Amino acid sequence: MPHRPVLETAHTIAAQYLDHVASRHVGGTATQEGLRRTLGGPLPLGASDPVAVLQQIARDADPGVVASAGPRYFGFVVGGSVPVTVAADWIATAWDQNAGLYVVGPAVSVIEDITAAWLLELLGLPGDAGVGFVTGCHMANFTCLAAARHEVLRRAGWNVEAQGLQRAPRVRVIAGGEVHISAVGALRYLGFGTEEIELIPVDEQGRMRADALTAALSNGDGPTIVCAQAGNVSTGTTDPLHAIIEAAHATGAWVHVDGAFGLWAAAVPELRSQVAGIEQADSWATDAHKWLNVPYDSGIAIVRDTAPHRASMSMKASYLQRGTDEERVAMDYVPESSRRARVLPIYALIRTIGRDGIADLVRSNCALARRMAERLAQADGVTIVNDVVLNQVLVQFAGTAGRSGDDTTRAVIARVQAEGTCWAGGALWQNKQVMRIAVSNWSTTEEDIDRSAAAIRRCYQALRAS
Ligand SMILES: Cc1ncc(COP(=O)(O)O)c(C=O)c1O
């Protein structure tokens, strides 16, 4: 089968989807059973026309496709995709390069190098740091914390890659009480049990208390890793990084910053003060598929010193041709061997909108989050729980007849999701049910915010009236 009709069909399906993504019901409308019925069936035994297969996928999957790429999806922290990044991702797929080694993808290898340097400049991080392009912030946390584990144990005279962890000196791992679950997961993969993590109390916005960290640090010694956070997944607030890093470095601890979306505040001059001191940390994890608005999956691991970064990730075999010193060995910076060229959309985005465009994207989302908070707070019974310092808005709805505030908030979330103008999820914030609204899509406008706020208010009013 020639490739053109197949690729052109995919192009048409994708373009038609994006033509209407802003006007469709934002949440999925299918049931799981319905999707299984239309998409399932017996194992296909023979060949089918690939064009017909693509058309069938588009038709049958459609009710189960969530418009998270659209402008009124506010769930989790899900960015959309700027069109050039979708297109660059298609090209990466068509090229089908293996980004593991220079020799199997020289252009991609060089693009990784160039993009790494641009990202470090954009984020104001040390220009000679190591950068790995991974699937998401979870794996970025893993990569950075593996480097941290290597280095704190190396300083204690232990080679964890060679000698393992079972007889190693004990490593203290300290994190804020609001540490993101993916950092905990990454620590688990690295041999640190969840019960071993020392959790430091946080303030009312979820920021680690630097005074409590200082006290904890003085209460022990030995190899230590401190996990700080830029951008709490609920409130968007950042730990007091300057004080945390100063206190931790005074004791020789490694400081890792999980900045899945909050790190991008560093790219906006007027927001940079929120992450002041961040460049002093030892490692940073972030996502491109959130606020940078490139397609899934795309995360970035950054480690100040390339020696522990490479020591913890690097694998060698005689057939894995390394080439000259100038040739990037991308495998040395990530936990994977074979890997798609997921850097390409990031590179295309930076080339297309530049540093100023990226700052505008983040800045505009923050302004829209404030607008959302203002619109919602005008309604009787609606409380904005967090300081809206970034793109996150937490909302509580006062109880209606016979229902607690928590139950009411849950019921409003369910109504909003079913109504379909926009989509917002929920979470417990300091033991209270909240609606979480994250504004992280490049295409969201003021009109989208006003329409969505009106829909949320309508859902609440309807519940009150019922
Ligand atoms: C602070 C923080 N860290 C890590 C992650 C995990 O990111 P991912 O799901 O992209 O791996 C998230 C996701 O929301 C996050 O908010």
Side-chain angles (χ1 to χ4, degrees), residues 77 136-138 141 180 182 229 231 233 258 260-261 287 289-290:
V77 189
C137 195
H138 193 160
N141 278 331
H180 190 269
S182 70
Q229 185 165 251
V233 72
D258 174 356
F261 62 99
D287 265 318
H289 58 219
K290 289 188 170 67

Side-chain angles (χ1 to χ4, degrees), residues 12-48:
T12 303
I13 290 169
Q16 279 172 353
Y17 177 77
L18 292 179
D19 285 346
H20 300 292
V21 71
S23 53
R24 53 190 279 149
H25 188 285
V26 177
T29 52
T31 61
Q32 201 173 121
E33 201 222 324
L35 287 170
R36 284 186 196 288
R37 202 175 41 248
T38 47
L39 292 163
L43 169 70
L45 298 181
S48 294

Side-chain angles (χ1 to χ4, degrees), residues 269-347:
E270 69 272 24
L271 297 179
R272 181 141 186 124
S273 62
Q274 291 191 27
V275 294
I278 197 163
E279 66 286 352
Q280 301 299 331
D282 299 288
S283 58
W284 307 264
T286 192
D287 265 318
H289 58 219
K290 289 188 170 67
W291 230 348
L292 206 54
N293 276 257
V294 309
Y296 285 103
D297 42 25
S298 191
I300 305 162
I302 306 172
V303 181
R304 169 184 293 279
D305 182 352
T306 55
H309 193 171
R310 297 174 68 172
S312 56
M313 293 292 127
S314 186
M315 286 176 301
K316 292 188 176 134
S318 60
Y319 80 98
L320 296 172
Q321 187 182 318
R322 286 192 162 240
T324 66
D325 285 352
E326 291 73 46
E327 294 173 4
R328 179 183 167 88
V329 182
M331 274 175 67
D332 287 353
Y333 300 90
V334 296
E336 298 134 323
S337 303
S338 295
R339 209 161 38 95
R340 63 186 269 100
R342 66 170 62 87
V343 70
L344 207 61
I346 305 179
Y347 174 77

Side-chain angles (χ1 to χ4, degrees), residues 210 213-214 217 240-253 255 277 280-281:
L213 173 68
T214 306
L217 285 166
L241 295 176
H242 182 74
I244 286 173
I245 296 168
E246 200 170 62
H249 280 175
T251 67
V255 182
Q280 301 299 331

